[in-house]
Amino acid sequence: MVRIFKNIAILEGISYLVLFANMLLIKPINLGLYKTMLYPIGMTHGLLFIGYVFLAVVLKKSQNWNFISLLVVLTASLLPLATFFVEKKYIKHV
């Protein structure tokens, strides 16, 4: 379960960056390409986000996180690059 969470944390962070890149870099250049890519990128990111939050709550007990640590892990899903930090600092490596 921990290995799956680590992979989802990394993929969620990457999908967040891809979503921003689509919005900030592609939209001004080619609006049609932006609209075409928005749904698959957004859906992928949304599913990874839900998986990240669900697995964080499930792993709270096995990782011995207190409420503040869980709050930091969950808040990291809202900030770009923060899930990479969580994967390194808060996950006990297997």
Side-chain angles (χ1 to χ4, degrees), residues 3 15 25-26 42-43 56 73 79 82:
R3 189 173 304 252
S15 72
L25 301 175
I26 297 175
M43 181 60 76
V73 169
L79 304 172

Side-chain angles (χ1 to χ4, degrees), residues 20-31:
F20 276 140
N22 185 44
M23 180 180 61
L24 297 174
L25 301 175
I26 297 175
K27 186 177 181 181
I29 297 170
N30 187 341
L31 190 60

